[in-house]
Amino acid sequence: MPISYNKFSVQVHLDRIRDNYLLLRGKAANPIGVIKSDAYGHGLIPVARTLAAAGADTMAVGTVGEAIRLRKSGFDGRIIALLGALDKDEACSCHIGNITPFVFSLEHLQLLSDAAGDAPLPVALKFDTGMARLGFTEDDIPALLQALPALRGIRPALVASHLAVSDAPDQEDFTREQHDRFLRIVHALRDAGHPVQATIANSAGLLAYPEMHHDLQRPGIALYGANPLHGTAHQAMGSGLLAAMDVSTPVLQVHDLPKGRSISYGRTFVAQHDMRVAIVAAGYADAYSRGLSNKGVVVINEHRAPVVGRVCMQMTAVDVTNIPAVSSGDAAWLLGGPAADPVTPEELAAAWGTITYEVFCLLGLSPKSHTGA
Ligand SMILES: *Cc1c(COP(=O)(O)O)cnc(C)c1O
């Protein structure tokens, strides 16, 4: 009988993304869909369609390139490009596609003004209140207010900033300092006659700081079902979110590993007793990080199987000694899996030595299938 294998597969459950969005909308009045970087690896267009069908009228994408893709897909709501228009072509694209760029310098405002058409383009003024990354600062406001009247063809529609530690309740003071600075900036712009909408809350800000909701909230990670407050005193504020990405791959072969025998490159694992191992078809070429060597865990037949030895390019060995009747072709879940005891994004990220965001972005680089639309 020919063996029929499952394939390495990344499955995205759009119904869970919809449920997460609705859960967030129960907590905040106007969450937008942050879908930058291919919707954190979940698929830009399918996720945008799902959120739009659930009532989201604004999406924030990473680049003008993503914004154009989204506009061409038929989305007719507001599109915000978080990196902004970085050159003349992108500035023109913003005008043509009615894309709202984040803008972090006077040079970029000028670029957008020079590309202006008839209708004024709404732009989002990006302020640095504590990330020390991109943005105008509070000190730039006088020069900005002086420059704006001469910049034809653009209209400041939003004022935005980003929180550095909203996911860390023990650093609440810093978050409050950022917010105070943000309030002063918003008031300065409004007092000068610019009726801007204000936005500062990411997922953790939305969940933990209702007073920072302002006009729109910008959840990303929570839409995909990871709790940004996991492992903190505020963990319960993010309960009920459903992880939307499952990754599975077939078992290729199962064999004994007698006591004293080593496995895989570098012989980093030696069996301390007679074992049985399964070789599964995933490795660092599939973005299953080599950092998971001797640390990761997969789920096979509803049981947990720890990674033994080094993760290879296309294969990984796992301990199935205590799992009955594992055979080639069985599904091994690298992320997600059976509802009773899935591999959670948080535990995979912890074993990997990173955050759920990176786990999603990297595993989501593989081809994906979408269900639950
Ligand atoms: C990515 C991003 C967000 C979303 O952050 P999460 O922590 O994923 O909720 C919000 N705002 C900006 C500017 C971002 O770049």
Side-chain angles (χ1 to χ4, degrees):
M1 192 178 91
I3 304 170
S4 108
Y5 283 134
N6 297 304
K7 291 273 172 351
F8 178 90
S9 93
V10 177
Q11 302 121 42
V12 174
H13 299 269
L14 295 169
D15 49 331
R16 299 185 198 163
I17 293 176
R18 183 196 60 224
D19 289 351
N20 293 333
Y21 170 76
L22 295 175
L23 186 146
L24 297 175
R25 211 170 62 185
K27 296 173 187 285
N30 202 4
I32 70 170
V34 178
I35 55 172
K36 64 173 182 253
S37 301
D38 200 28
Y40 294 37
H42 291 69
L44 185 77
I45 303 302
V47 170
R49 289 209 170 115
T50 300
L51 295 173
D57 58 6
T58 300
M59 305 291 161
V61 298
T63 59
V64 171
E66 280 191 332
I68 294 168
R69 269 178 64 207
L70 179 57
R71 189 60 89 209
K72 284 187 172 159
S73 80
F75 178 71
D76 61 6
R78 174 159 58 174
I79 303 179
I80 296 172
L82 293 171
L83 278 186
L86 300 179
D87 59 26
K88 207 171 155 187
D89 282 353
E90 292 195 343
C92 289
S93 295
C94 285
H95 285 283
I96 293 165
N98 192 21
I99 294 157
T100 302
F102 266 39
V103 188
F104 53 85
S105 77
L106 284 175
E107 289 75 16
H108 288 96
L109 280 178
Q110 189 67 55
L111 190 71
L112 285 157
S113 178
D114 291 344
D118 297 335
L121 180 75
V123 301
L125 299 174
K126 180 179 173 77
F127 277 84
D128 169 29
T129 57
M131 274 290 276
R133 206 169 55 176
L134 285 180
F136 297 102
T137 66
E138 202 177 356
D139 295 341
D140 294 330
I141 288 180
L144 184 59
L145 289 178
Q146 204 182 8
L148 279 173
L151 291 164
R152 313 225 155 256
I154 57 171
R155 176 175 67 82
L158 282 161
V159 56
S161 192
H162 197 44
L163 297 168
V165 281
S166 52
D167 56 354
D170 57 330
Q171 296 190 65
E172 191 179 319
D173 287 355
F174 189 87
T175 300
R176 295 202 180 286
E177 268 175 47
Q178 276 199 269
H179 186 238
D180 289 346
R181 201 167 293 132
F182 183 65
L183 283 177
R184 292 197 298 271
I185 292 164
V186 172
H187 288 143
L189 289 163
R190 286 182 180 160
D191 289 350
H194 300 285
V196 283
Q197 290 187 303
T199 173
I200 191 169
N202 54 2
S203 295
L206 184 160
L207 294 168
Y209 296 98
E211 68 278 27
M212 301 184 195
H213 283 178
H214 295 282
D215 299 300
L216 2 147
Q217 308 80 41
R218 307 192 309 269
I221 196 70
L223 292 173
Y224 310 104
N227 180 357
L229 299 164
H230 179 85
T232 74
H234 286 166
Q235 176 163 330
M237 293 175 179
S239 65
L241 296 167
L242 307 170
M245 185 187 287
D246 280 350
V247 182
S248 65
T249 199
V251 170
L252 299 173
Q253 194 173 42
V254 182
H255 62 76
D256 291 328
L257 189 71
K259 180 178 175 179
R261 206 60 82 69
S262 65
I263 189 163
S264 192
Y265 291 116
R267 308 187 60 216
T268 59
F269 183 90
V270 177
Q272 300 301 302
H273 53 83
D274 287 347
M275 295 176 66
R276 231 170 136 63
V277 294
I279 309 304
V280 305
Y284 54 80
D286 307 294
Y288 194 68
S289 172
R290 189 166 174 278
L292 291 160
S293 299
N294 292 306
K295 290 196 176 130
V297 70
V298 307
V299 168
I300 300 176
N301 297 347
E302 316 218 338
H303 290 76
R304 296 188 150 236
V307 171
V308 289
R310 291 229 172 111
V311 172
C312 306
M313 193 180 290
Q314 305 185 93
M315 284 180 265
T316 299
V318 298
D319 176 6
V320 295
T321 310
N322 297 316
I323 309 181
V326 178
S327 58
S328 62
D330 287 354
W333 297 91
L334 312 179
L335 175 63
D341 188 18
V343 178
T344 66
E346 290 83 8
E347 74 168 316
L348 180 55
W352 190 317
T354 183
I355 53 174
T356 55
Y357 302 68
E358 190 179 8
V359 166
F360 290 149
C361 286
L362 293 182
L363 290 176
L365 291 172
S366 290
K368 297 169 277 278
S369 58
H370 293 86
T371 61

